[in-house]
Structures are given as structure tokens and as C-alpha cells.
């Protein structure tokens, strides 16, 4: 718990925070100027300093380098006093624990930087061991090239000591490389230090430039977090150093750590520019939920179609042509990289309408393997009387044929070799393949859409548990869900493809068998938002962006989570959830 650090926005493990000092510091940031080190206890005993609100005081400490034996760390552990001013404790990632401070300085980072797996293990272990609303500090390692990846992993604060030392040694740092001054014919920067003519540029100027470059890169990182697009940036930035690429990929393997901290929806578009995009939490989570929670409720044939550049797909010219041919006689599922497969009911659900990808007409083997696996799992879970593949040659047909062989299916192909799915002949083949099939109604389509979204958001079977007997009003994609007495239960939110519950809908949710995401609060009636100090308990399955039921001795409410569940309970500052509707009880 902390009084002096608050998290304002989250982008996976990265956080936009604030050190609430006399002059506040927005993080991720350099904190050299506000750190006051009380000194090492290895050299001598130290008095606990008086401290003040202007600086973050590092309490007297014993720093353990990487690889220090556990019994040594235990024998020389420091008892950190309770203080009334902003404070930080020095801890090893191997033995980090809650000391009641506002921040934690990791003592073993210099021995692990350069080693992707070791760094990820250290960050994850430390972040899991200390409260969520405290800052993690790396000292002596940050450069303009690595700091974005370190922030993406979950580090909040840095110092410029390494950049300064590099400068005094004549090493000029940029976001993509480091150069010896004597090798530079001109300065690739326009910061104040670099406005000096090249022949007059000194090592003192190099120190100033390195610090400027590091501060500028952290400003870029903060803006990327605000936009929810740090991962897009890191996928490119990590390419400048092999160990940074390894770090990003090792971090992707920490599913529990990243998934818990990654919102289920956001405004930002995913830029699928590298094959590492396939490993993103948002992509893997969507594929997992579609193949473990979603269930097809139509009795019509399945038609597999290619994706479109325009989102949602149904707004695109190509998909309008597909719909004209299908005429609601089949269930459409789009195939796409990097998402996998997208049932028509979930075409607006994040991230299905929130991504853009590089289109070359050629699929990599990684893309083919990923989409094939998702399609295979989808078809193992969902049965259809017939399957039609209305897909072109490039990549798509390879995927369908691979799954057809694996599952021993019989699939009808309606696009001839070399043809395009929107060609007149291809569309005629599609119409012929569905000849004699009956149309499903608008009512069935809308009801199944609402149920599918509920399954995706809440869990397998939630759609039937919550919305078995309903009626729908308004037009897609802003469907309103009502009970037979015409009481509104929920509204489909077109921007994210999610559901927004009313109080009556929330009550039905609580009474149903569908998994309920609950936040328990103290005895007050929330208006507008619930702050973390008012949270008594919260479901650990809650993610940022989830619909939540908020209950307390004096109130029943429904809203949207602004923290993940464990963070709500551990934090002493910040908004836990925004309240949409509330009633006193």
C-alpha cells in the first residue's frame, strides 16, 4: 500500500503512474533528481533519515547482487522502518517482499540485463511479490535503446547513470544503436547538446545528449501507454538488439503475468506488422475464448470467408457481396491473420474490429500454422451440417485443406484456382452451394449475437443462462436486450462488441448460473466511481474493461472495471471501477 505512488493508466504490464512528491513525477521516468539514498548498511550502520515530501528516500539497505545464496540474503535481511514520507526499499528480485514502502529498487538488475529470460524472471518475480500500487525501479541499466522494453515488462522508474557513464567514455547513445564519438561524422540528433558543431562536440556534450535521448524516449513510452500502443512500438524497437527481442518473446511466455494486466478492450488499433503480433495477449485471448467459450447456435451450413481491410467486416464491399450471395442461409466465419477465426456474431468484439495488418497476399508458415490451429479447435467444438470454403488460393485454402485433412472433413470449395471470391463466377458458385437452404430470421440472428457476446465475455454457456428468454430492440450493432416484460437488461456497445448491463440485467446476472464478476465494497453508496480504498474484495478473474457487479451493505451497482481484480484489493489509491447504475439497498 502506498500514499505516494498512483497508477493512472495501464497498457499490459506497463503503467502510466505518478510519484506524488512535492513536485509530481509522471512515470515511467528518470528519477535521479528526486532520489535520496540513505546509504548502504554493508559499510556501516545508518540512521533512518528524516526525509520529506520533495524526494523519494531510499531507506538504509544491503544490496544483494544476482546469484547471492538465499541463506545469505536471509541472514543479512534489513528491517525497514515505517516512515511518514515517500520511501523506497532495496530488494533482490529473488527475495522481494512487501516492506510497506512506495517503491522498490531491484539490486540485481545489472547482472541480468542482456539476458532476456533472466530479466523477465526478475521483473515478474518482483512485481508479483510487491503490492501492485508500488513502483519498481531499475538503476544503472537504462539506455534509449532498451528503456521501452523495460517499461513494457513492468518497470516504472530509472536513473541515467549508465547513459552518463557511456557519455563520459565517449559512447553516443540513440534509440537504435550506440556509437563511438570518433566514428560519427555528423550528429544524428537535434537536442540542445547536439546543436554544437561536430568538431566542437565533447564528451561533456555527449553526457548531456545521452541523458536527453533517454528522457525523450521515456516521453515516447509514456505517450504510447496513453494510447494503448506500447506493444506496437516495442515490436519494432526490440529489433535493435537481440536480447531485447528475446526479452519480449520471453515475456510473451509469461501468460498469467501479462494476461491479468491486459485490458479486454481498448480504443487503440493493433498494428500487426510482425509475426510477434501472433503472440500478443489480446490475440491469444481472443483465439482462446472463441475456441473454448463461443458456441455456434445456428443450424445452417458454415461458410468460411476471407477477412477485409475495412472493419467491421460486414461494412466492407467484399463482405456485402458475400452477404448478398448467402442471404442469411449460412453462418459466416471470417479467417484472418493475426486474429484466427471470427464468427459473424463477434465481428465487433475487441480486437476483431481493432486491428490492421500488412497485406502482401503471402502468408508466412507461422501465420498458416496459427490460423490452422484456431480453425481446427473451432471446428472440433462446433458442428455444422455442411462446410463451404469461399476463400482464395493464397494462404486461406492451404489452411482449410490442412484442417480438412486433420479432421477428416468434406468441404465444398466455391472459388476456383486463380479466381477471386468476389468474381461473378465465385459468387455464383457460393449461391449454388447454398441452394435449398432456409434463411434464419433477424430475431434469431440478433438473439444469437447477444448470447455469443455473453459467452465470450463471461464464460461458456453464459449466453443461454442469462438470455434464454429475451427480445431485442433497436438496430444492430446497438442492440438492446429486454425481458418479456419489456425491461431493459443490457445494450450492445458497438465500439467494443461488448455488453453494457442495466441494474435489472445485473440482478439477473447475479441470480443466473453464469460466472459473476463481483466487487465487494464498504458501507457507502458509490456515485461515478469506486476508489480502491473502498474495495473489500474482488473476483480475481476481473480484467480492466470487464463488466462488474458492485455490492456492499448499502448499495448494489453495475459498472466497468478500471483495475484487474487483485489490483483492486491491493491498491490504496486510484479508481477501481466506474459506476454506470446504482441503487441503495
Amino acid at each position: 500500500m502506498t500514499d505516494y505512488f498512483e497508477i493512472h493508466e495501464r497498457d499490459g504490464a506497463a503503467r502510466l503512474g505518478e510519484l506524488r512528491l512535492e513536485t509530481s513525477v509522471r512515470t515511467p521516468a528518470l528519477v535521479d533528481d528526486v532520489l535520496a539514498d540513505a546509504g548502504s548498511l554493508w559499510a556501516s550502520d545508518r540512521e533512518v533519515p528524516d526525509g520529506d515530501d520533495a524526494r523519494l528516500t531510499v531507506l538504509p539497505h544491503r544490496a544483494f547482487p544476482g546469484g547471492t545464496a538465499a541463506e545469505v540474503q536471509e541472514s543479512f535481511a534489513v528491517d525497514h522502518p515505517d516512515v511518514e514520507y515517500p520511501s523506497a526499499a532495496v530488494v533482490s528480485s529473488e527475495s522481494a517482499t512487501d516492506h510497506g514502502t512506495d517503491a522498490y529498487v531491484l539490486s540485481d538488475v545489472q547482472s541480468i540485463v542482456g539476458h532476456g529470460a533472466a530479466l523477465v524472471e526478475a521483473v515478474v518475480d518482483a512485481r508479483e511479490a510487491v503490492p501492485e500500487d508500488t513502483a519498481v525501479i531499475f538503476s544503472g541499466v537504462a539506455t534509449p535503446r532498451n528503456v521501452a522494453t523495460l517499461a513494457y515488462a513492468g518497470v516504472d522508474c530509472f536513473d541515467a547513470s549508465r547513459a552518463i557513464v557511456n557519455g563520459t567514455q565517449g559512447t553516443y547513445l540513440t534509440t537504435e544503436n550506440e556509437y563511438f564519438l570518433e566514428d560519427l561524422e555528423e550528429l544524428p540528433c537535434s537536442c540542445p547538446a547536439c546543436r554544437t558543431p561536430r568538431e566542437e562536440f565533447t564528451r561533456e556534450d555527449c553526457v548531456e545528449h545521452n541523458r536527453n535521448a533517454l528522457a525523450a524516449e521515456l516521453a515516447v513510452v509514456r505517450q504510447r501507454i496513453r494510447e494503448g500502443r506500447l506493444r506496437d512500438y516495442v515490436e519494432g524497437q526490440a529489433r535493435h538488439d537481440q536480447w531485447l527481442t528475446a526479452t519480449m518473446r520471453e515475456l510473451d511466455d509469461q501468460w498469467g503475468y501479462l494476461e491479468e494486466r491486459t485490458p479486454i478492450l481498448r480504443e487503440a488499433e493493433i498494428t500487426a506488422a510482425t509475426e510477434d503480433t501472433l503472440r500478443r495477449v489480446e490475440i491469444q485471448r481472443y483465439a482462446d475464448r472463441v475456441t473454448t467459450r463461443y458456441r455456434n447456435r445456428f443450424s445452417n451450413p458454415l461458410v468460411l470467408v476471407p477477412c477485409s481491410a475495412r472493419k467491421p467486416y460486414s461494412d466492407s464491399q467484399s463482405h456485402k457481396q458475400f452477404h448478398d450471395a448467402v442471404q442469411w442461409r449460412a453462418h459466416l466465419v471470417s479467417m484472418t491473420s493475426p486474429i484466427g477465426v471470427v464468427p459473424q456474431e463477434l465481428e465487433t468484439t475487441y480486437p476483431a474490429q481493432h486491428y490492421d495488418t500488412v497485406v502482401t497476399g503471402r502468408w508466412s508458415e507461422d501465420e498458416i500454422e496459427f490460423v490452422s490451429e484456431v480453425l481446427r479447435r473451432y471446428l472440433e467444438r462446433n458442428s455444422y451440417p455442411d462446410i463451404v470454403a469461399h476463400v482464395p488460393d493464397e494462404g486461406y485454402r492451404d489452411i482449410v485443406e490442412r484442417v480438412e485433412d486433420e479432421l477428416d472433413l468434406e468441404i465444398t470449395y466455391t472459388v476456383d484456382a486463380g479466381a477471386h471470391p468476389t468474381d461473378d463466377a465465385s459468387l455464383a458458385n457460393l449461391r449454388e452451394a447454398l441452394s435449398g437452404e432456409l434463411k434464419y430470421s433477424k430475431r434469431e440472428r440478433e438473439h444469437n449475437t447477444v448470447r455469443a457476446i455473453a459467452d465470450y465475455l463471461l464464460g461458456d454457456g453464459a449466453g443461454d443462462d442469462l438470455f434464454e428468454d429475451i427480445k431485442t430492440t433497436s438496430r444492430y450493432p446497438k442492440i438492446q436486450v429486454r425481458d418479456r416484460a419489456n425491461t431493459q437488461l443490457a445494450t450492445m456497445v458497438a465500439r467494443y462488441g461488448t455488453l453494457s448491463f442495466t441494474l435489472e440485467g445485473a440482478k439477473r446476472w447475479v441470480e443466473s448460473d453464469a460466472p459473476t464478476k463481483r466487487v465487494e465494497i464498504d458501507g457507502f453508496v458509490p456515485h461515478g466511481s469506486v476508489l480502491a480504498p473502498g474495495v473489500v474484495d474482488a473476483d480475481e478473474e476481473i480484467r480492466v474493461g470487464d463488466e462488474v457487479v458492485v455490492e456492499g451493505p448499502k448499495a448494489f451497482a453495475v459498472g466497468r472495471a478500471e483495475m484487474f481484480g487483485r489490483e483492486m484489493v491491493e491498491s490504496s489509491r486510484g479508481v477501481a471501477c466506474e459506476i454506470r447504475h446504482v441503487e441503495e439497498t
Side-chain angles (χ1 to χ4, degrees):
M1 299 288 186
T2 175
D3 293 324
Y4 296 98
F5 183 66
E6 182 174 352
I7 302 162
H8 294 295
E9 296 183 49
R10 298 154 186 81
D11 187 4
R15 297 101 62 87
L16 189 68
E18 179 185 5
L19 276 174
R20 300 171 63 89
L21 307 178
E22 192 174 274
T23 300
S24 68
V25 177
R26 281 297 175 106
T27 62
L30 296 176
V31 293
D32 315 54
D33 295 341
V34 296
L35 278 183
D37 189 355
S40 172
L41 293 170
W42 289 120
S44 62
D45 291 338
R46 305 280 182 174
E47 295 293 328
V48 176
D50 292 336
D52 58 55
D53 289 352
R55 302 174 74 79
L56 181 66
T57 299
V58 181
L59 299 174
H61 53 82
R62 291 192 184 95
F64 299 106
T68 302
E71 56 268 25
V72 174
Q73 296 193 38
E74 184 177 350
S75 297
F76 291 96
V78 175
D79 291 326
H80 294 84
D82 290 331
V83 294
E84 300 298 323
Y85 49 78
S87 63
V90 176
V91 298
S92 163
S93 64
E94 299 167 341
S95 58
T97 189
D98 182 8
H99 294 294
T101 55
D102 306 288
Y104 293 85
V105 183
L106 296 196
S107 64
D108 51 343
V109 294
Q110 295 191 38
S111 64
I112 55 180
V113 165
H115 306 279
L119 184 136
V120 168
E121 182 181 4
V123 175
V124 172
D125 286 350
R127 282 284 302 273
E128 296 284 7
V130 302
E132 274 298 321
D133 63 344
T134 56
V136 171
I137 302 175
F138 269 24
S139 175
V141 297
T143 68
R145 182 164 52 172
N146 69 27
V147 75
T149 304
L150 297 179
Y152 175 70
V155 184
D156 302 289
C157 302
F158 309 87
D159 64 22
S161 59
R162 177 172 174 179
I164 290 171
V165 170
N166 286 154
T168 62
Q169 295 170 340
T171 302
Y172 185 97
L173 303 180
T174 69
T175 56
E176 80 285 346
N177 209 343
E178 54 183 50
Y179 304 91
F180 294 117
L181 273 181
E182 55 266 29
D183 294 335
L184 287 175
E185 293 187 13
E186 57 182 286
L187 301 174
C189 174
S190 59
C191 75
C194 295
R195 293 171 190 164
T196 303
R198 172 65 189 91
E199 60 274 12
E200 299 175 16
F201 192 83
T202 66
R203 292 192 176 192
E204 288 74 17
D205 295 322
C206 191
V207 168
E208 183 182 348
H209 157 78
N210 286 355
R211 186 179 175 91
N212 290 343
L214 183 53
E217 181 69 353
L218 282 165
V220 171
V221 168
R222 290 193 296 274
Q223 183 58 30
R224 285 286 181 158
I225 295 173
R226 290 185 188 98
E227 297 171 350
R229 300 192 63 186
L230 182 58
R231 170 61 185 240
D232 294 342
Y233 183 69
V234 168
E235 283 188 19
Q237 188 60 28
R239 291 293 189 278
H240 296 308
D241 201 316
Q242 297 293 342
W243 83 267
L244 293 177
T245 302
T247 298
M248 181 182 68
R249 292 175 178 173
E250 290 286 347
L251 195 60
D252 284 341
D253 289 337
Q254 296 288 334
W255 168 259
Y257 174 74
L258 280 184
E259 193 279 329
E260 183 179 40
R261 293 165 170 82
T262 301
I264 67 158
L265 52 84
R266 63 177 91 198
E267 297 278 356
E269 178 182 270
I270 292 175
T271 301
T274 76
E275 291 180 13
D276 284 309
T277 303
L278 296 172
R279 297 163 57 88
R280 288 181 65 148
V281 165
E282 300 96 319
I283 302 301
Q284 294 290 331
R285 178 196 279 152
Y286 188 90
D288 179 69
R289 291 190 178 191
V290 165
T291 56
T292 62
R293 295 185 177 189
Y294 170 84
R295 191 173 295 281
N296 169 50
R297 292 175 170 84
F298 294 98
S299 58
N300 302 67
L302 165 66
V303 172
L304 296 169
V305 294
C307 65
S308 64
R310 185 166 183 171
K311 317 292 189 305
Y313 304 135
S314 59
D315 284 349
S316 70
Q317 190 61 39
S318 61
H319 277 244
K320 287 178 180 178
Q321 292 178 276
F322 301 156
H323 280 289
D324 286 344
V326 171
Q327 289 289 309
W328 309 115
R329 293 176 296 166
H331 180 226
L332 259 63
V333 172
S334 299
M335 298 167 54
T336 178
S337 175
I339 304 295
V341 300
V342 180
Q344 64 188 40
E345 306 97 302
L346 299 179
E347 67 163 358
T348 63
T349 300
Y350 182 86
Q353 69 165 332
H354 303 81
Y355 76 97
D356 197 10
T357 189
V358 177
V359 179
T360 64
R362 298 182 299 275
W363 290 59
S364 71
E365 179 55 35
D366 284 348
E367 290 177 303
I368 291 174
E369 183 177 345
F370 173 72
V371 180
S372 297
E373 173 65 13
V374 177
L375 179 60
R376 180 187 63 77
R377 289 164 56 194
Y378 178 87
L379 291 176
E380 284 178 333
R381 178 174 169 84
N382 296 283
S383 60
Y384 291 90
D386 295 291
I387 301 175
V388 176
H390 190 70
V391 296
D393 289 337
E394 306 91 353
Y396 290 101
R397 184 149 183 161
D398 296 333
I399 292 167
V400 176
E401 289 178 342
R402 182 179 297 190
V403 175
E404 181 181 24
D405 291 341
E406 288 178 357
L407 300 183
D408 193 23
L409 300 172
E410 290 187 8
I411 296 178
T412 300
Y413 295 89
T414 52
V415 180
D416 295 332
H420 192 273
T422 59
D423 291 346
D424 289 344
S426 299
L427 294 172
N429 291 339
L430 178 58
R431 283 190 289 269
E432 176 62 27
L434 299 175
S435 177
E437 296 292 340
L438 298 177
K439 294 182 180 181
Y440 50 82
S441 67
K442 174 186 175 185
R443 174 182 176 276
E444 183 180 2
R445 183 169 75 248
E446 291 183 346
H447 287 201
N448 285 352
T449 296
V450 168
R451 292 168 183 144
I453 294 173
D455 286 344
Y456 180 91
L457 295 174
L458 307 179
D460 186 14
D464 293 332
D465 289 335
L466 277 171
F467 302 126
E468 182 178 4
D469 187 22
I470 57 168
K471 62 180 182 178
T472 52
T473 59
S474 196
R475 296 182 61 184
Y476 177 87
K478 298 180 180 180
I479 300 170
Q480 292 186 358
V481 186
R482 298 177 180 273
D483 64 16
R484 289 299 171 184
N486 208 37
T487 301
Q488 187 173 344
L489 304 175
T491 300
M492 181 178 168
V493 182
R495 183 185 301 178
Y496 307 116
T498 187
L499 295 173
S500 173
F501 284 90
T502 64
L503 280 175
E504 288 304 316
K507 291 174 183 176
R508 176 184 278 219
W509 183 13
V510 169
E511 293 167 359
S512 75
D513 292 330
T516 307
K517 299 185 179 183
R518 282 187 171 89
V519 178
E520 181 185 348
I521 61 172
D522 272 329
F524 64 95
V525 180
H527 294 285
S529 60
V530 172
L531 300 180
V535 174
V536 176
D537 199 8
D539 189 330
E540 289 194 356
E541 297 302 311
I542 293 172
R543 302 292 178 260
V544 175
D546 268 332
E547 284 287 295
V548 290
V549 171
V550 180
E551 296 178 285
K554 295 185 177 181
F556 179 87
V558 64
R560 182 152 291 168
E562 296 294 328
M563 296 179 176
F564 60 88
R566 186 167 57 83
E567 185 181 24
M568 293 182 185
V569 178
E570 292 185 7
S571 297
S572 56
R573 304 192 70 88
V575 176
C577 52
E578 296 288 354
I579 299 299
R580 185 182 311 113
H581 305 292
V582 62
E583 69 178 12
E584 295 187 33
T585 57

